[in-house]
Amino acid sequence: MELTKLKGVGPKTAEKLIHAGIAAVEDLPAIPPRRYVDRRRISPIADSKENDFVTVCAEVQSVSFRSGFAGRKAFASVKIADESGAMHAYFFGHPAKGARSLFFKGRRVLMGGAVKIVKDKTVLQHPEYSFPEDGDDGLESLKEIRPIYPNVRGFSQKQLRAFIQAACALVGDRLIDALPADEFGLDFPSLRESLQSIHYPAIDGDIDQLNENNAPGQRRMVFDELFFLQLGLRIRRDSFSRKMAPAAKAETGFMEKAIRRAAGFTLTADQETALAQIVEDLRAKRPMHRLLQGDVGSGKTIVALLAAARVAESGYQSALMAPTEVLALQHYRTIKPLAEKAGMRTGLLTGGIPAADADEICRRAQEGAVDLLIGTHALIGKRVEFLKLGLAIIDEQHRFGVLQRAKLRAKQTHPHVLVMSATPIPRTMAMTVFGDLDHSVIRSKPPGRLPVETKLLFGDTQEAYRIIADRVRQGEQAYIVYPLVAESDDPATRDATTMYKKLAGKHFPNFKVGLLHGRMKEKEKSEILGNFMDRKLDILVSTTVIEVGVDAPAATAMLIENAERFGLSQLHQLRGRIGRSDKPGICILSASGDIGEKAMRRLQALLDISDGFLIAEKDMDIRGPGDILGRRQHGLPVFRWASLARDMDMLHRARQAACDLLKSDPGLIKHPNIIRVLRHRWRSRMEFETIG
């Protein structure tokens, strides 16, 4: 339903709402309150403490106003007082102008918000307010449990609340409960009852339960969100399995044996298990759709190469897509000599390759003269075509997302798909984000690898420089990593460009030092990385551009400056660039002296834990699941009600319910309302030819 159907919403207001992600009237009731304020209890002003949410009833003492000028916003300060004391309400911008006319001396006001202490004054900034005009009766009518919604730019809480309540009234009779409790055995209220209890909490409701997102109506919305996510993922997965895969024989032959001999090492038990699972998928009469998880340095690339050899032996091609040119080049340098020993023809295609060379590579791929094409996003470009693509491999797949995976898969009619991740993912998150994939896990590292020692230093980096110099004198290499490319306004944060000059000229004048960062041109990045890999550089000063995929066995030492500014999983990924040989590695974390509690917990976790999967669980515990993967998966619905950290049991329940439904009604013929909700939730993100 168009937003302009709502009272008070004209074309301009509708445009602002659409820009904020609210496209239809039906989207408004789906906005969950971020918290609730208890306006049933009036607090004395004197009891107000910083960061408390309070509701006070007081009289206006005075109003001061400053017009906006010279780029400054208009400002109003309203002083209010009750019998216990006084406080101020601050308003900025347009609300300040309204405050000047609404508040006058002696007027009684009910005010609520978060308490701040500003220059020794007790302050409410942009509080909610109303005016009990009819004495105590009027005050009683204003008592409520009030929902507070996420901030939507350009709208006050009062406006947003009015829009949501108007939308609830308008769509109430049209709400379709796609999951009726009697059919699905749900111990939740109906959809209508749930939204009513969320947006209009009962006066005798349990506000603690509401603020913990544990009220029955809220749990119903969590279940709905997770159920339709799991149902959509399951349908995607089933739609893949119903299509014929390439006729890959996938039998061990000379290519795989040659690669194993050229590699010079024996695969670990985890690698062999993962390869066996992949081979079983390659032999099946349906396309593989598998996630290969492995901690940094666990050896996923060799497993992927052996899978590509199986496909090549059957007369099909493979493509390996990496998120950055640095990583694509790294794969090419690692894979090419092994593949050549097996007679596999490889190619590299990235945005930095000259046009003539790129045209030649595309021609060879189209003619079937390339067995394994390695590249970046360039592989999903329109000009890239394969003669017989049998296997699509996506590395560091969380940097691509669902839609880009689909684009590579679409290069041929339903090839096998293997996605790889060196970012260990908690099982709950893997079930959610990769619910359409089978899982293989490599936990163990290749034999001979020694654990990396991790040290934490505060302030002084001289000890770190000494350790690095000692390692380099022994013929080893080192990384020094910074959070920024260039100088910023924060003097406490060091940057790679400035420090590179100091390190090369002052601290390591006798060593060969190189600089690598993301703002360099691809050709320059490739050259620097190549020089480091070829041992032409002793020390590489870098940003997080080396975070994934860079494999320099001679690098045994790393210094991470301003380590408190990195995420825990990111620190673990960086640490994984060293200790990739039979020599002991050392990772030195340098932090400023004054860091917060969360930053200290991250650094301590890295000191205590080396297992990437345990690191991921700890990371999720410290900061929640919001951005564990670095970036949100493009193509998946956004969570509004559910929390992966909180709702693990509900996720399992929703997953089982989705599976049970598809077993009893595979095409959802008996459930047209569920199809309607699926189409709305997923929109263009899934293939629907198998349902309805």
Side-chain angles (χ1 to χ4, degrees):
M1 188 184 300
E2 292 182 4
L3 289 166
T4 50
K5 298 288 185 182
L6 288 176
K7 183 180 179 181
V9 177
K12 289 186 177 180
T13 301
E15 187 177 338
K16 287 169 64 177
L17 287 168
I18 291 170
H19 185 69
I22 302 167
V25 171
E26 290 81 1
D27 291 335
L28 284 160
I31 298 175
R34 56 186 172 89
R35 61 181 173 82
Y36 292 83
V37 173
D38 194 346
R39 292 185 51 156
R40 300 169 300 182
R41 177 177 171 273
I42 308 300
S43 302
I45 287 177
D47 291 349
S48 300
K49 297 177 182 177
E50 189 166 22
N51 297 323
D52 283 351
F53 289 94
V54 301
T55 300
V56 299
C57 187
E59 285 190 358
V60 176
Q61 300 293 300
S62 62
V63 180
S64 59
F65 178 76
R66 182 197 70 207
S67 298
F69 62 93
R72 302 174 71 184
K73 292 182 178 180
F75 170 74
S77 174
V78 180
K79 184 179 180 181
I80 60 173
D82 63 10
E83 294 178 354
S84 71
M87 70 191 322
H88 291 77
Y90 287 172
F91 299 90
F92 299 88
H94 186 71
K97 299 174 184 177
R100 185 168 60 166
S101 60
L102 283 170
F103 296 97
F104 48 82
K105 187 174 181 179
R107 190 174 194 186
R108 199 177 186 204
V109 62
L110 192 71
M111 218 174 249
V115 178
K116 302 293 179 185
I117 305 299
V118 181
K119 295 181 179 179
D120 296 328
K121 291 182 179 179
T122 304
V123 172
L124 299 177
Q125 293 185 352
H126 284 286
E128 293 274 310
Y129 58 86
S130 50
F131 302 100
E133 304 288 7
D134 303 317
D136 290 338
D137 291 339
L139 181 62
E140 195 66 30
S141 68
L142 293 173
K143 290 183 178 180
E144 62 181 342
I145 296 177
R146 173 167 286 188
I148 304 298
Y149 295 98
N151 293 327
V152 176
R153 188 173 182 180
F155 297 97
S156 67
Q157 280 289 315
K158 187 175 182 179
Q159 287 174 300
L160 192 59
R161 187 163 50 248
F163 291 154
I164 290 172
Q165 292 180 351
C168 287
L170 194 59
V171 303
D173 294 336
R174 305 183 184 189
L175 279 177
I176 298 173
D177 200 340
L179 301 175
D182 55 347
E183 179 180 352
F184 286 86
L186 302 177
D187 52 353
F188 303 124
S190 69
L191 180 60
R192 182 196 296 266
E193 292 169 336
S194 297
L195 291 174
Q196 177 74 20
S197 66
I198 288 166
H199 296 299
Y200 302 88
I203 189 68
D204 59 349
D206 186 338
I207 191 168
D208 291 334
Q209 191 180 47
L210 286 165
N211 278 324
E212 292 167 3
N213 290 288
N214 203 33
Q218 293 169 317
R219 305 312 292 156
R220 162 61 194 263
M221 300 306 293
V222 168
F223 180 84
D224 272 27
E225 189 166 63
L226 293 174
F227 172 83
F228 283 107
L229 174 65
Q230 292 299 315
L231 186 63
L233 289 170
R234 179 61 59 172
I235 289 171
R236 285 172 54 89
R237 180 171 172 167
D238 290 349
S239 72
F240 299 143
S241 68
R242 290 183 180 128
K243 297 161 186 168
M244 293 300 292
K249 298 175 184 177
E251 301 198 1
T252 306
F254 72 92
M255 282 189 176
E256 179 177 341
K257 291 176 182 177
I259 290 170
R260 285 176 180 263
R261 284 195 302 269
F265 56 81
T266 302
L267 266 62
T268 65
D270 282 355
Q271 287 173 313
E272 293 285 11
T273 299
L275 181 60
Q277 292 169 337
I278 293 167
V279 168
E280 184 178 355
D281 285 350
L282 292 175
R283 286 174 171 159
K285 292 184 177 180
R286 61 174 178 80
M288 173 176 67
H289 210 57
R290 181 170 291 276
L291 168 67
L292 176 60
Q293 273 191 271
D295 204 351
V296 287
S298 61
K300 297 179 298 300
T301 304
I302 188 67
V303 173
L305 175 57
L306 292 173
R310 297 275 183 134
V311 172
E313 290 174 27
S314 301
Y316 287 84
Q317 298 166 282
S318 298
L320 194 165
M321 184 167 71
T324 67
E325 187 144 351
V326 168
L327 182 51
L329 179 63
Q330 169 72 51
H331 278 315
Y332 185 67
R333 290 171 61 96
T334 302
I335 287 172
K336 185 180 179 182
L338 297 176
E340 285 180 344
K341 293 287 180 66
M344 284 182 68
R345 300 162 296 179
T346 59
L348 176 67
L349 182 64
T350 67
I353 288 179
D357 293 341
D359 289 341
E360 174 63 15
I361 291 167
C362 290
R363 182 190 63 77
R364 291 176 56 210
Q366 190 172 10
E367 293 175 355
V370 176
D371 297 309
L372 174 57
L373 183 58
I374 300 166
T376 56
H377 296 76
L379 293 183
I380 60 177
K382 292 181 179 179
R383 67 174 179 168
V384 181
E385 295 182 12
F386 294 88
L387 181 65
K388 294 176 70 176
L389 181 64
L391 174 62
I393 305 167
I394 295 102
D395 194 17
E396 289 304 321
Q397 63 74 46
H398 66 274
R399 298 190 174 211
F400 290 108
V402 175
L403 297 182
Q404 288 163 314
R405 275 164 34 196
K407 284 183 179 180
L408 182 57
R409 191 177 66 242
K411 288 292 177 183
Q412 198 80 32
T413 305
H414 314 301
H416 296 289
V417 176
L418 177 67
V419 297
M420 304 194 297
S421 177
T423 303
I425 306 160
R427 177 165 174 75
T428 305
M429 182 167 287
M431 285 173 58
T432 304
V433 180
F434 311 120
D436 56 341
L437 305 176
D438 294 311
H439 297 161
S440 294
V441 178
I442 303 175
R443 281 188 173 270
S444 59
K445 292 188 178 182
R449 296 279 177 91
L450 299 176
V452 174
E453 178 188 357
T454 306
K455 295 184 67 169
L456 176 59
L457 301 176
F458 287 98
D460 184 19
T461 54
Q462 294 305 312
E463 181 183 351
Y465 294 160
R466 180 186 57 76
I467 292 171
I468 288 173
D470 288 344
R471 292 293 180 111
V472 173
R473 289 191 192 100
Q474 295 173 34
E476 299 167 19
Q477 293 174 290
Y479 299 99
I480 303 179
V481 183
Y482 295 91
L484 301 176
V485 173
E487 281 186 291
S488 71
D489 294 333
D490 183 359
T493 305
R494 292 181 168 182
D495 68 276
T497 305
T498 302
M499 289 305 299
Y500 162 69
K501 296 174 184 176
K502 292 181 180 179
L503 292 168
K506 178 181 178 182
H507 298 288
F508 303 109
N510 299 320
F511 300 139
K512 292 166 287 186
V513 183
L515 173 65
L516 181 69
H517 59 72
R519 294 183 190 172
M520 291 177 168
K521 293 182 179 180
E522 294 298 339
K523 183 178 180 180
E524 188 178 4
K525 283 192 287 189
S526 298
E527 183 179 348
I528 300 248
L529 181 61
N531 287 338
F532 190 68
M533 301 293 295
D534 294 336
R535 309 288 296 274
K536 295 177 182 177
L537 294 173
D538 300 311
I539 299 169
L540 187 61
V541 178
S542 178
T543 58
T544 56
V545 71
I546 63 159
E547 180 184 345
V548 293
V550 177
D551 185 5
T556 63
M558 174 176 286
L559 167 62
I560 303 176
E561 292 261 37
N562 293 114
E564 74 277 6
R565 296 182 178 271
F566 295 88
L568 177 53
S569 288
Q570 190 175 41
L571 287 169
H572 178 66
Q573 290 290 322
L574 288 168
R575 181 173 62 179
R577 298 309 105 210
I578 57 175
R580 304 175 78 88
S581 67
D582 58 355
K583 295 180 179 178
I586 183 167
C587 179
I588 304 160
L589 310 174
S590 175
S592 58
D594 184 19
I595 62 175
E597 178 189 354
K598 277 193 173 183
M600 191 62 228
R601 288 176 66 192
R602 290 197 299 272
L603 298 180
Q604 189 61 51
L606 203 71
L607 295 175
D608 296 339
I609 305 171
S610 59
D611 186 309
F613 291 88
L614 296 179
I615 288 275
E617 296 286 353
K618 188 68 175 179
D619 198 13
M620 192 166 170
D621 176 58
I622 291 174
R623 65 186 173 105
D627 199 28
I628 294 295
L629 299 178
R631 301 182 186 185
R632 187 171 64 81
Q633 289 289 293
H634 300 293
L636 285 180
V638 179
F639 282 138
R640 285 185 167 180
W641 303 91
S643 162
L644 296 183
R646 183 191 66 219
D647 298 320
M648 183 186 295
D649 291 342
M650 192 74 83
L651 175 63
H652 285 281
R653 184 176 175 185
R655 185 181 179 86
Q656 188 60 53
C659 291
D660 291 345
L661 175 63
L662 288 174
K663 283 181 182 177
S664 63
D665 185 12
L668 300 182
I669 304 300
K670 301 174 184 177
H671 297 86
N673 287 336
I674 286 181
I675 293 177
R676 289 177 61 184
V677 175
L678 265 177
R679 290 186 184 278
H680 179 71
R681 296 279 179 94
W682 284 79
R683 292 182 171 92
S684 63
R685 300 183 181 98
M686 67 188 304
E687 300 171 34
F688 276 100
E689 64 269 29
T690 58
I691 64 171

